[in-house]
Amino acid sequence: MAVSGRSPGLPAQGTTPSTTLIRNVLLLDGTGTAARAAAVRVAGDRIAEVGALTPRPGETVIDGNGLMLAPGFIDTHSHADRALVRGNDGLGALSQGITTVVVGEDGGSPYPLAAFFDSLTRRGMPMNVAAYVGHGTVRGRAMGNDYKRHATEAEVSRMKELLAAELKSGALGLSSGLEYDPGIYSARSEVVELAKVASTAGGRYISHIRSEDRTEWDAIDEIIQIGRQARLPVQISHTKLAMKSLWGQGDSLVNVLNRSRAAGVNITADVYPYRFWQSGLSVLFPERNFTDRKAAEFALDQVAPPDEITLTSYGPHPDYAGKTVAQIAKERGTDPATTLLALVKDADDARKAGRPSGETIIAASMDERDIEKIIAWPFTNICTDGELDGRHPRGFGSFTRVLGRYVRERHAVSLPEAIRKMTSLAADNVGIANRGRVAAGAFADLVLFDPATVIDNATPADPRAVSTGIAKVWVNGKLAYGDGKTTGARGGTVVRRK
Ligand SMILES: [Zn+2]
């Protein structure tokens, strides 16, 4: 590289950096304060000034037409990893105002993270990407296929080494998926030992907890104990009360979380705004006994009824995709519990035989009252839990759904508070610096939107329908989305632990 005699990145002498002025907007700065009239000047990838600003000669001026300008939204629980590596243009995220996705969730992270970050950097990213290190990922590397048991001391030591090395790549901390293989087989002490490694590195713990239905209260207690014993901030992923007998207990959940915060545990949460989740059939069987008729009957009675469990993919019988368990039961002439057992067992047999086993379901298990209570808790931020090319509409509609349905239609939270939950609180809950607030010096991730029309359009039948009301999105000062389309700019960067 030639020595130029000046710092790299600064403009040549005699020129001024090109700036952009976004004016005629109502600013929601991400802190939760009310909207105010203000203009924002962007220089390079940063916000230079905020206030009553007038255009400078030669400056690019954007007229916001009186719409609202907010910090770009931060999705603290995203499954965008795979699609980004394949070169997805980020439409699902950008079109709902998301400028930063946090991946490596539920215990599964790209390995090694350094290579993942390198490949994204080489390819270019439509939005910013941060990652956690998956517990299941390091557990899998330490134990191989022999994972259906507690780990030995030597295996836990190996996991700690792997985690420490991955954290050096700038990961935000440790993620776990204790309802999934292989995390479900871990002892709590193993997770605490690993969380201590994350804690020492200044990282955090985020978890798809061990149960969101049958043993939810034990699972909540477990994450609180992990936070207490490992002395680090802990976040509950996609918080829900996913069982009929738990419905209406949103207040009890918030009380438990408030009590542990008062006792010194920094516990927070994220949530997506849908009654239905997406996962695999096997999570309906926490004991992983696929011949247990009682478990099948319990799942259909308490977790989700046969007509609200839809197969979105199914390896052993691909034409079942799009059908409910009730419809398949009718087709096969068997009762729903027998049908469910056959479906989960055939998928498991296919997996064991190395045949296509892919089984994903969308199932309705949550109650709107609880979703509203969880959204309103002051320490809950908004997430999608979605993919950029997935079958659950959350991948395209979570943030706009909150703004349209939970803010404008139902008044579950105020608009400035909802924006705080999508921006500064999200950044704080996962440990991201200099994003999530509109302030001089912060990165210029911005979203211009219309609060009167913003709404999600994605549904299970049309999961990739683009939202209404998101006018423009900038990522690090580059326009990434406008007029309903991505611009093709690759303005994103890897976001590392602060
Ligand atoms: Zn999860």
Side-chain angles (χ1 to χ4, degrees):
M1 200 177 108
V3 178
S4 66
R6 59 186 172 85
S7 307
L10 288 182
Q13 279 182 354
T15 64
T16 43
S18 67
T19 55
T20 300
L21 186 70
I22 307 170
R23 63 190 303 207
N24 189 19
V25 295
L26 284 170
L27 179 67
L28 282 162
D29 65 9
T31 64
T33 53
R36 63 182 197 273
V40 173
R41 175 165 286 125
V42 174
D45 64 355
R46 301 275 183 156
I47 293 165
E49 284 180 275
V50 180
L53 308 173
T54 47
R56 289 174 180 163
E59 186 170 52
T60 305
V61 178
I62 307 229
D63 183 350
N65 294 316
L67 299 182
M68 289 212 172
L69 187 71
F73 304 153
I74 297 173
D75 181 1
T76 58
H77 191 109
S78 165
H79 293 288
D81 341 17
R82 279 179 298 268
L84 283 176
V85 167
R86 289 195 299 266
N88 185 288
D89 70 350
L91 178 66
L94 294 168
S95 62
Q96 53 178 316
I98 295 166
T99 54
T100 301
V101 293
V102 181
V103 301
E105 303 282 1
D106 295 322
S109 54
Y111 186 89
L113 268 180
F116 171 70
F117 286 155
D118 281 352
S119 97
L120 287 184
T121 303
R122 272 199 308 275
R123 184 185 271 284
M125 286 160 271
M127 78 292 279
N128 305 308
V129 180
Y132 279 86
V133 181
H135 165 231
T137 300
V138 295
R139 192 170 211 265
R141 299 195 75 81
M143 299 177 74
N145 287 330
D146 178 24
Y147 64 80
K148 295 189 176 179
R149 56 178 174 82
H150 285 181
T152 64
E153 223 171 282
E155 286 162 344
V156 174
S157 295
R158 179 72 188 129
M159 289 180 220
K160 288 162 75 173
E161 286 167 20
L162 289 164
L163 172 60
E166 286 295 86
L167 285 167
K168 289 206 174 88
S169 302
L172 301 175
L174 173 69
S175 87
S176 70
L178 300 182
E179 201 176 25
Y180 294 125
D181 290 23
I184 194 169
Y185 299 100
S186 61
R188 182 180 301 177
S189 57
E190 170 186 324
V191 186
V192 169
E193 283 299 296
L194 291 168
K196 283 178 179 169
V197 173
S199 177
T200 302
R204 297 156 176 268
Y205 177 73
I206 194 165
S207 181
H208 176 140
I209 60 177
R210 214 175 277 267
S211 170
E212 300 181 322
D213 42 69
R214 291 167 178 78
T215 57
E216 167 127 18
W217 299 113
D218 291 343
I220 295 283
D221 184 60
E222 181 174 56
I223 188 170
I224 292 167
Q225 295 307 328
I226 289 166
R228 178 170 292 140
Q229 290 172 30
R231 297 172 186 277
L232 83 178
V234 294
Q235 164 123 325
I236 305 169
S237 291
H238 43 59
T239 312
K240 57 177 80 85
L241 292 158
M243 186 169 79
K244 227 195 274 178
S245 64
L246 290 173
W247 288 358
Q249 297 187 43
D251 280 328
S252 308
L253 175 60
V254 163
N255 288 339
V256 168
L257 300 180
N258 280 335
R259 273 201 301 278
S260 48
R261 287 189 64 86
V265 176
N266 182 0
I267 187 162
T268 56
D270 56 37
V271 69
Y272 59 80
Y274 294 87
R275 281 189 58 238
F276 45 94
W277 45 269
Q278 179 175 27
S279 190
L281 279 168
S282 61
V283 300
L284 296 172
F285 297 83
E287 307 291 335
R288 298 294 188 268
N289 178 353
F290 303 137
T291 60
D292 183 351
R293 193 175 171 85
K294 284 239 157 15
E297 285 169 348
F298 183 89
L300 294 172
D301 179 55
Q302 281 291 316
V303 181
D307 60 344
E308 291 206 288
I309 303 175
T310 304
L311 270 67
T312 51
S313 68
Y314 190 64
H317 217 304
D319 61 306
Y320 283 174
K323 292 180 180 168
T324 66
V325 169
Q327 287 168 326
I328 296 165
K330 204 170 165 207
E331 246 176 55
R332 292 167 73 122
T334 53
D335 67 80
T338 304
T339 308
L340 181 61
L341 285 168
L343 289 171
V344 73
K345 187 170 181 310
D346 288 353
D348 192 48
D349 289 348
R351 182 162 38 237
K352 284 177 183 150
R355 292 194 308 271
S357 61
E359 38 95 3
T360 51
I361 54 172
I362 285 179
S365 302
M366 288 84 93
D367 185 84
E368 284 293 355
R369 291 167 301 167
D370 296 325
I371 296 172
E372 288 190 11
K373 286 263 156 54
I374 293 165
I375 287 179
W377 188 48
F379 300 96
T380 303
N381 68 267
I382 308 303
C383 72
T384 68
D385 195 12
E387 298 160 86
L388 294 171
D389 52 2
R391 295 182 178 87
H392 192 299
R394 63 196 181 188
F396 273 68
S398 294
F399 284 73
T400 42
R401 186 175 176 84
V402 169
L403 294 174
R405 299 178 200 275
Y406 292 79
V407 175
R408 188 176 61 242
E409 292 176 3
R410 295 188 216 157
H411 309 288
V413 282
S414 72
L415 180 60
E417 175 67 356
I419 294 296
R420 185 183 74 89
K421 289 169 173 289
M422 298 173 176
T423 59
S424 68
L425 181 68
D428 293 348
N429 284 357
V430 294
I432 288 177
N434 294 327
R435 296 184 194 275
R437 290 168 178 83
V438 176
F443 286 101
D445 297 338
L446 295 163
V447 53
L448 183 70
F449 71 99
D450 183 351
T453 62
V454 64
I455 199 98
D456 61 304
N457 295 314
T459 62
D462 189 7
R464 293 172 209 171
V466 167
S467 299
T468 302
I470 301 292
K472 284 184 166 60
V473 178
W474 291 265
V475 176
N476 295 312
K478 290 204 171 77
L479 186 69
Y481 179 81
D483 301 322
K485 293 187 200 68
T486 56
T487 63
R490 291 287 193 265
T493 186
V494 172
V495 175
R496 295 185 162 85
R497 184 171 76 251
K498 65 179 175 193

